[in-house]
């Protein structure tokens, strides 16, 4: 009878531990993805050029993809989501960086209303600017600060300039938040 209880407890312990946290393969792939994302974060802190940033994005994306495929179980949905959101934000920062019209430190946005056909009806020089659809999506997705081109004051109507450093920093901050959440979730598993 005593042996049966011991065997039962041993089987129960094995079953509970098997249903618990990450497998070694999953843990390694998550650790690798988080490490690559942490390198991106470190690069954003010390300063990085577009070429190096692009190289690091490629490495991080490959590792996040691998980790996501290893975390297909519903139990890891939140962790998978946070890793992918961090990666998406780092990619969005590169996208904003790429669509900057020049290197003067800002990216000109436009008014959300359609352009005025008659220049005499135009209230500002911004009324007739082309709206870059990607920039507009990023502006709205990350609630990027838009400033008046002359006074540099924040504009509520979202027509004006997004300063490159400010906009990219906001997106990187969002990425860091998702990365921190993913790191926290791995400790809970």
């Amino acid at each position: 009878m005593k042996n049966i209880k011991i065997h039962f407890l041993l089987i129960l312990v094995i079953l509970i531990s098997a249903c618990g946290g990450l497998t070694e393969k999953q843990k390694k792939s998550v650790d690798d993805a988080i490490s690559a994302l942490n390198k991106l974060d470190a690069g954003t802190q010390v300063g990085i050029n577009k070429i190096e940033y692009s190289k690091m994005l490629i490495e991080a994306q490959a590792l996040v993809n691998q980790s996501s495929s290893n975390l297909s179980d519903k139990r890891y949905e939140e962790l998978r989501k946070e890793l992918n959101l961090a990666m998406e934000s780092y990619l969005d920062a590169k996208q904003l960086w790429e669509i900057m019209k020049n290197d003067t430190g800002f990216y000109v946005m436009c008014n959300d209303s359609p352009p005025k056909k008659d220049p005499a009806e135009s209230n500002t020089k911004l009324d007739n600017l082309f709206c870059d659809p990607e920039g507009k999506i990023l502006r709205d997705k990350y609630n990027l600060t838009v400033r008046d081109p002359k006074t540099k004051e924040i504009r509520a109507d979202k027509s004006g300039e997004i300063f490159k450093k400010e906009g990219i920093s906001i997106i990187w901050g969002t990425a860091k938040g998702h990365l921190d959440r993913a790191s926290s979730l791995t400790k809970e598993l």
Side-chain angles (χ1 to χ4, degrees):
M1 179 74 161
K2 192 175 184 181
N3 282 343
I4 293 173
K5 285 181 182 179
I6 292 173
H7 287 297
F8 176 74
L9 286 174
L10 184 60
I11 291 171
L12 186 61
V13 167
I14 291 170
L15 287 174
I16 289 172
S17 65
C19 295
L22 300 168
T23 66
E24 285 302 313
K25 180 181 178 182
Q26 289 170 323
K27 184 169 177 12
K28 181 172 177 4
S29 71
V30 168
D31 288 347
D32 289 347
I34 288 175
S35 177
L37 291 168
N38 275 322
K39 285 179 188 175
L40 270 169
D41 180 56
T44 68
Q45 292 173 25
V46 299
I48 191 166
N49 64 44
K50 283 185 197 179
I51 295 170
E52 286 302 312
Y53 189 73
S54 296
K55 288 177 185 177
M56 293 172 78
L57 281 174
I58 292 168
E59 179 185 348
Q61 184 68 70
L63 293 168
V64 167
N65 288 349
Q66 181 64 46
S67 182
S68 290
S69 70
N70 288 334
L71 298 173
S72 59
D73 191 304
K74 183 117 173 114
R75 294 178 290 171
Y76 310 121
E77 186 174 347
E78 192 174 357
L79 174 57
R80 184 176 59 247
K81 179 180 138 194
E82 291 298 330
L83 288 171
N84 283 296
L85 286 172
M87 188 69 231
E88 180 181 317
S89 295
Y90 283 118
L91 289 167
D92 285 346
K94 180 168 187 297
Q95 183 180 16
L96 184 61
W97 200 344
E98 290 294 328
I99 60 176
M100 295 290 176
K101 299 299 184 197
N102 56 45
D103 283 331
T104 60
F106 62 89
Y107 173 68
V108 177
M109 293 300 295
C110 63
N111 197 330
D112 282 337
S113 59
K116 309 271 195 260
K117 294 191 188 228
D118 181 2
E121 295 177 26
S122 178
N123 294 332
T124 70
K125 69 176 185 174
L126 298 170
D127 286 339
N128 292 308
L129 289 174
F130 169 72
C131 291
D132 185 300
E134 294 170 346
K136 199 170 166 183
I137 289 168
L138 294 174
R139 177 198 68 189
D140 295 341
K141 181 177 181 179
Y142 294 97
N143 196 28
L144 299 178
T145 304
V146 180
R147 298 185 180 277
D148 184 277
K150 291 181 183 173
T151 66
K152 307 304 180 209
E153 292 177 8
I154 295 173
R155 292 185 56 122
D157 68 357
K158 298 293 187 182
S159 60
E161 300 171 345
I162 295 174
F163 287 82
K164 178 168 55 176
K165 185 176 182 181
E166 187 176 40
I168 290 174
S169 292
I170 289 168
I171 298 173
W172 282 340
T174 301
K176 176 69 169 141
H178 290 298
L179 174 56
D180 289 346
R181 179 73 180 128
S183 295
S184 173
L185 287 168
T186 60
K187 294 173 185 158
E188 296 173 13
L189 297 174

